[in-house]
Amino acid sequence: MSRTALRICPLCEATCGLTLTIEGTKVTGARGDRDDVFSQGFICPKGASFGAVDGDPDRLRTPLVREDGELREASWEEAFDAIAAGVRPVVERYGPNAVGVVLGNPNVHTVAGALYPPVLIAGLRTRSVFTASTVDQMPKHVSSGLLYGDALAIPVPDLDHTDHLLLIGANPLESNGSLCTAPDFPGKLKALKARGGTLTVIDPRRTRTAKLADRHLAIRPGTDALLLAAMAHVLFEEGLVDPGELTPHLQGLDELPDAVRDFTPEAVADACDVAAATIRTLARELAAAPTAAVYGRIGSCTVPHGTLASWLVDVLNILTGNLDRPGGALFPQAATDKTPRPAGPGHGFALGRWRSRVSEHPEAKGELPLSALAEEIDTATEEGEPIRALIAVAANPVLSAPDGDRLDKALGSLDFMVSVDPYLNETSRHAHVVLPPPPPSQSPHHDFAFNTLAVRNQVRYTRPAVPLEPGRMAESEILARLILAATGMHGADPSAVDDLVIGQTLGKAVMEPHSPVHGRDPQELAARLTGDSGPERRLDMMLRLGPYGDGFGVRPDGLTLEKLLAHPHGIDLGPLRSRLPQPLKTVSGRVELLPRPIADDLPRLREALRRRPDGLVLVGRRHLRSNNSWMHNVPALTGGTNRCTLHIHPEDAERLGVSDGAPVRVKGAGGEVTAPAEVTDAVRPGVVSLPHGWGHDRPGTRLSHASRAPGVNVNQLLDGTLLDPLSGNAVLNGVPVKLVIGSAL
Ligand SMILES: Nc1nc2c(c(=O)[nH]1)N[C@H]1C(S)=C(S)[C@@H](COP(=O)(O)OP(=O)(O)OC[C@H]3O[C@@H](n4cnc5c(=O)[nH]c(N)nc54)[C@H](O)[C@@H]3O)O[C@H]1N2
Ligand SMILES: Nc1nc2c(c(=O)[nH]1)N[C@H]1C(S)=C(S)[C@@H](COP(=O)(O)OP(=O)(O)OC[C@H]3O[C@@H](n4cnc5c(=O)[nH]c(N)nc54)[C@H](O)[C@@H]3O)O[C@H]1N2
Ligand code: SF4
Ligand SMILES: [Mo]
């Protein structure tokens, strides 16, 4: 007998609602949930393979503990005993910063990953915190922090209503969108065109998204900040600046023309390899469109001027009056957002409150650059102790961060390492304890992160579709027990962690004059929380305190967990609306258009006007059936066009004597890899492309399918020294490489 169950898909940022077919405890099928208030039935090939991803026989079923150098299966009790015994002595002997925490991308796709890692970091009191954000979107956080005073206030293009979309360094037809949560992104782009709107794509590769565009500009990698600065220049020069209703909320508008004065279209054209006339047209079209949104993603962030490019994306939206208006770029309001406080000055955003020990990189958003993880482990300095113990949650930095081989060695030298990971892979193979979370079908789901980035306000929650298999532990309990073991409270009841957070949150809420629960008794409020588990009670609390919440009875129609459970396909909360000035937390209470760190970084951009690569540069790419480093083990999602090949333009191939399919040695500052060439004019001349997340050929892993076609680790071409200095974000695109051909082989 088969049954069906609803489950929000955790496999990318689009967060589609799925209807799973379940036989016994096995997921045998997945289709789009047509009644889902947000995704309305959309599904992609990854979502359709949910059952295969979920049921991968290589997923670990029990914890692993290292004994005499070898990992062996162990009980949960043994695993947490080993963690308490491994982490505590390091803290006591060398201090809290000797314990590093690495958080990977899947944490934003799980309930546990949203709720527990902040408690772990606070409990450990370590500054050695590294996440996937610094190989991804940290520049956007920094630009938002500086502009709006809140690193998490990221405006999202109003895909459903805009007349004009300028898309920079994003390929949503493969990625399904990022920092813009939108089920059926491809359909939304087609709808934009169908309603007479225009789509411009800036990408050194002619991607599937670029093919859909009215105009595609194959820019030279790494130069988007120059192009965007030139567009801002044109807006000022031609009198096209019109912030409209934003004007009273802006500070520093007068200083901007000077800041972008040197970046004329003529001055940047050669560096960007985009004609000056085209740049002028881009600016004029942006200004002329009834509504428009500029949107930048990975290709605009993981570059030397990532923060400036991210800042300029918002500056252009502001100068054309498109920030915070329907059809432009708006700030979503999620159901679990904090109770909105009244508009007014805030604390602002600070950068560089501390620095990394070895290269003295400034922190951003409480994090150090993932690029610096290896040196923070393997390099001793007078400043303090290296990292000697590491807790990695849902992270595979050996493949996703620069210089994987150095990191691989560094991880092998640690006194102690824990991985919370379903796979024994390139990173977790170094752990002394591996804690495997259950597969997604056995986990609840709510998108704490992505609802704050969604193109429509909505809220959905799905309980586990399948009960926890015997011997399994929910990831929330794994992380709660890990927190207790690592912070000297080993053995305490894991619900203590949730009780602590609930007590602190409610204790703070009742003190806030703008809170609906101001002046009430936190214990009385806590007693009202519903839910089957700690995470559910915390979700209930956040919903009730949130912008749509019932305020613990103050607004009886408002949201509660109970109400959400009564709406299994979700609750629509309406289109994105104008919200300024409420979201601003800058010291001035306004949008600070030319913050000091940005102004101080502009001379570096001016230098880039003169710089040209003297050889080939490397960019990445994603495939629709991929997901970073961890889906190559699912046969249904591999093969065909999803291969780790080096894309090279026919002109470059001819000049260098590279033939299609031939192995090519690629050399970078961090090392070299050999991959088969795929000659294609989808990349522009002077640019080669390799996807990331490959290189599954290391011993001691359990990835039986992935290891058969391992591919190579593109990040081995990097040495970790190329960073955007403001955000600490790794430069992963536009990286100089050399090809070694023929006799040199
Ligand atoms: N060259 C290059 N490098 C890149 C990029 C690029 O474009 N080019 N992209 C970068 C980006 S944007 C990102 S986000 C990073 C991603 O890199 P990472 O942060 O390392 O993330 P993933 O590779 O997605 O997965 C990390 C680990 O999470 C595990 N995992 C999967 N599901 C779960 C779960 O439910 N719970 C737990 N605890 N673990 C789980 C997987 O087995 C895997 O070991 O890579 C970055 N690296
Ligand atoms: N199928 C699939 N979906 C995914 C993922 C995945 O691995 N596979 N990963 C998820 C994650 S973690 C993220 S962060 C998102 C990322 O989502 P996207 O940002 O949409 O990711 P990409 O498909 O890598 O698109 C980035 C594009 O930038 C281009 N580019 C490179 N350098 C430059 C440059 O200097 N300038 C410009 N203008 N463009 C440049 C590349 O050619 C590429 O086409 O995708 C998510 N979704
Ligand atoms: S688009 Fe993303 S969320 Fe939707 S089904 Fe595909 S992988 Fe899942
Ligand atoms: Mo990412």
Side-chain angles (χ1 to χ4, degrees), residues 13 105 136-137 297-298 622 628:
E13 300 184 31
N105 171 273
D136 187 346
Q137 82 290 357
R297 208 44 286 274
I298 279 285
R622 283 175 162 76
N628 300 323

Coordinates of all heavy atoms in Angstrom, one line a residue, residues 13 105 136-137 297-298 622 628, ligand 4:
E13 N 17.3 26.5 -3.5 CA 16.7 27.7 -2.8 C 15.2 27.9 -3.2 O 14.5 28.8 -2.7 CB 17.5 28.9 -3.0 CG 18.9 28.8 -2.5 CD 19.8 30.1 -2.6 OE1 19.2 31.2 -2.5 OE2 21.0 29.9 -2.8
N105 N 26.7 24.8 3.3 CA 25.5 25.2 2.7 C 24.2 24.5 3.2 O 23.2 25.2 3.4 CB 25.6 25.1 1.2 CG 24.4 25.4 0.4 OD1 23.6 24.4 0.2 ND2 24.1 26.6 0.1
D136 N 30.6 32.5 -1.2 CA 29.3 32.7 -1.8 C 28.8 34.2 -1.7 O 29.3 35.0 -2.5 CB 28.3 31.7 -1.1 CG 26.9 31.7 -1.8 OD1 26.6 32.5 -2.6 OD2 26.1 30.7 -1.5
Q137 N 27.9 34.5 -0.8 CA 27.2 35.8 -0.8 C 27.7 36.8 0.2 O 27.0 37.8 0.4 CB 25.7 35.5 -0.7 CG 25.2 35.3 0.7 CD 25.6 34.0 1.4 OE1 26.2 33.2 0.8 NE2 25.2 33.8 2.6
R297 N 24.3 37.8 -8.8 CA 24.5 36.6 -8.0 C 25.9 36.1 -8.1 O 26.8 36.9 -8.4 CB 23.5 35.6 -8.4 CG 23.0 34.5 -7.3 CD 22.7 35.0 -5.9 NE 23.9 35.4 -5.2 CZ 24.6 34.5 -4.4 NH1 24.3 33.2 -4.3 NH2 25.6 34.9 -3.7
I298 N 26.2 34.8 -7.9 CA 27.5 34.3 -7.7 C 28.6 35.0 -8.6 O 29.7 35.3 -8.1 CB 27.5 32.8 -8.0 CG1 27.0 32.0 -6.8 CG2 28.8 32.2 -8.4 CD1 28.0 31.9 -5.6
R622 N 27.3 25.7 -13.1 CA 26.4 24.7 -12.4 C 25.6 24.0 -13.4 O 25.2 24.5 -14.4 CB 25.5 25.5 -11.4 CG 26.2 25.9 -10.1 CD 25.4 26.7 -9.2 NE 25.9 26.7 -7.8 CZ 27.0 27.4 -7.4 NH1 27.6 28.2 -8.3 NH2 27.4 27.4 -6.2
N628 N 26.3 21.5 -5.6 CA 27.6 21.7 -5.0 C 28.3 20.3 -5.0 O 28.4 19.7 -6.0 CB 27.4 22.3 -3.6 CG 26.8 23.7 -3.7 OD1 27.0 24.4 -4.7 ND2 25.9 24.1 -2.8
Ligands
MO4 MO 25.9 28.8 -2.4

